[in-house]
Amino acid sequence: MTVRLAGLPLDLALWGVRQFAGLLGAVDRRLLPDDSDAEFGVSCLPVVFVHGLADRPSIFSKLQNGLRGCGAGPFVTATYSVLNPDIRVAARMLGEQVERVQEQNGGRPVCLIGHSMGGLIARYYVQRLGGDARVPLVITLATPHSGTAMALWAPPHPVLRQLRPGSPLLAELAEPCAGCRTQFVAFYSNLDEAIIPSSRARIDHPDLQVRHVLVDGVGHLMLPVHGTVIHGVRDVLTEAMELPLAG
């Protein structure tokens, strides 16, 4: 944990350089599927992945491979800019990308899968920006829904302040949201070294439809690549496509 905290400023700086370089070199800013050679039917559920703080889209590679053939897709990885270090800004960017994914897939509903802070970005979009009209299902993996004590000890980066328990952003997410149509499935671990205490990865909100899945003995960065989680996410997506919410 100490090593991870000490390395966060460097991680964030390198992340910013990578994204800035990508912006300079970008010609076409359309979202492209991560499995562009695959074909999907009209009953498929497009999936947008949202990575966490200072992580790369590659953190979802094993999960994406494990989901192939289940009927969901196409798979797309969302992007957000560290040049605007705010979960609210990232959520608005996510909303624009969800709209584009819908346009490219016949207006079908979209599922969001977020790891760590990516889950908070997805939740803020759905809960506070009207994303529940487009997103019937959000799956979060090791997301600090109620913040984490680790953020109290971390460098004073603007995003990390939003992850502190009781932050203004988390207070917004705790406000009433009666009528929110999105279903949530929150995978969390009792051995998550980044979310302290681990129970803060649960979504305890009376207005939200939530299913919690406890994964025993798996660390924060290992959760998206763990076999139990991959099978669990696959089952959730399969169930979703059998319900009207995916039609």
mmCIF file of all heavy atoms in Angstrom, residues 44 71 73 118:
data_model
loop_
_atom_site.group_PDB
_atom_site.id
_atom_site.type_symbol
_atom_site.label_atom_id
_atom_site.label_comp_id
_atom_site.label_asym_id
_atom_site.label_seq_id
_atom_site.Cartn_x
_atom_site.Cartn_y
_atom_site.Cartn_z
ATOM 1 N N CYS A 44 -27.763 -8.142 -29.102
ATOM 2 C CA CYS A 44 -26.553 -8.019 -28.291
ATOM 3 C C CYS A 44 -26.594 -6.768 -27.432
ATOM 4 O O CYS A 44 -27.286 -5.796 -27.740
ATOM 5 C CB CYS A 44 -25.315 -7.997 -29.173
ATOM 6 S SG CYS A 44 -24.991 -9.579 -29.975
ATOM 7 N N GLY A 71 -22.509 -13.504 -26.106
ATOM 8 C CA GLY A 71 -23.593 -12.791 -26.762
ATOM 9 C C GLY A 71 -23.564 -11.296 -26.556
ATOM 10 O O GLY A 71 -24.242 -10.559 -27.268
ATOM 11 N N GLY A 73 -21.765 -7.502 -26.581
ATOM 12 C CA GLY A 73 -20.810 -6.828 -27.440
ATOM 13 C C GLY A 73 -21.508 -5.849 -28.360
ATOM 14 O O GLY A 73 -22.737 -5.809 -28.406
ATOM 15 N N GLY A 118 -13.275 3.991 -12.031
ATOM 16 C CA GLY A 118 -14.119 3.902 -13.220
ATOM 17 C C GLY A 118 -15.558 3.569 -12.877
ATOM 18 O O GLY A 118 -16.489 4.013 -13.564
#
